[in-house]
Amino acid sequence: MLVPGAMIDGMNLGGAHYSTRRGVLVGLCLVLLIGVAIIPFRRHDYELEFLLVLPVLSAGVLAGRTAALVTAVAAVLAFHAATRFESAGFEEDAIGVVTFLGSALAVGATVGSRADRLSLAEQREEEQRRLHQLNAQIAENASR
């Protein structure tokens, strides 16, 4: 039985336990931090820019799919800002942005939906536990 915040081998197996707003805030802060950190290294041909997927993963794990997708859009904007100064042309820039957008959205949707499903499963488990307790109380009162 998984309880909210269940820990197995040091890993939190519970679902999204933070609000969407908090997840988006964490994701946006990480996007800003990583975006500023990679600007001096933007000559490395999109190598470090893919670190901007990490905030999308973080938001998805913390708060679910919606937070991950909002963070993915912000990460794409940071990706564009970090790469537009060194771009050889519009075509190269467009290909990089579209590729990153697809990757970030896919990762965010996958990780976020997993966290959402875990939260839903925990809610259903709690409902079943409550129903079991109510049934036991009804049976006990009926036997008196």
Side-chain angles (χ1 to χ4, degrees):
M1 172 165 95
L2 283 179
V3 295
M7 300 286 281
I8 295 179
D9 292 333
M11 294 175 53
N12 184 357
L13 297 180
H17 292 294
Y18 295 98
S19 68
T20 301
R21 183 178 297 165
R22 183 172 284 173
V24 169
L25 181 63
V26 168
L28 293 179
C29 288
L30 286 172
V31 165
L32 181 63
L33 180 70
I34 292 172
V36 168
I38 65 173
I39 285 180
F41 304 103
R42 64 180 174 251
R43 296 185 195 277
H44 292 278
D45 194 31
Y46 302 125
E47 292 170 1
L48 295 177
E49 284 81 358
F50 280 99
L51 288 175
L52 289 166
V53 174
L54 294 176
V56 178
L57 287 170
S58 300
V61 169
L62 290 175
R65 182 177 29 196
T66 304
L69 295 178
V70 170
T71 304
V73 172
V76 167
L77 294 174
F79 177 86
H80 179 67
T83 60
R84 73 170 186 211
F85 300 111
E86 298 297 321
S87 180
F90 176 75
E91 296 84 18
E92 181 183 321
D93 193 34
I95 290 170
V97 168
V98 169
T99 302
F100 185 80
L101 176 64
S103 299
L105 290 176
V107 166
T110 302
V111 171
S113 62
R114 179 202 168 269
D116 290 343
R117 284 193 309 266
L118 280 174
S119 291
L120 185 59
E122 288 175 355
Q123 290 172 357
R124 286 183 181 163
E125 184 180 4
E126 179 64 23
E127 288 174 4
Q128 287 178 352
R129 187 186 61 75
R130 286 183 189 158
L131 284 174
H132 182 69
Q133 286 177 346
L134 288 173
N135 284 338
Q137 289 175 356
I138 290 172
E140 182 181 319
N141 288 338
S143 66
R144 287 184 190 175

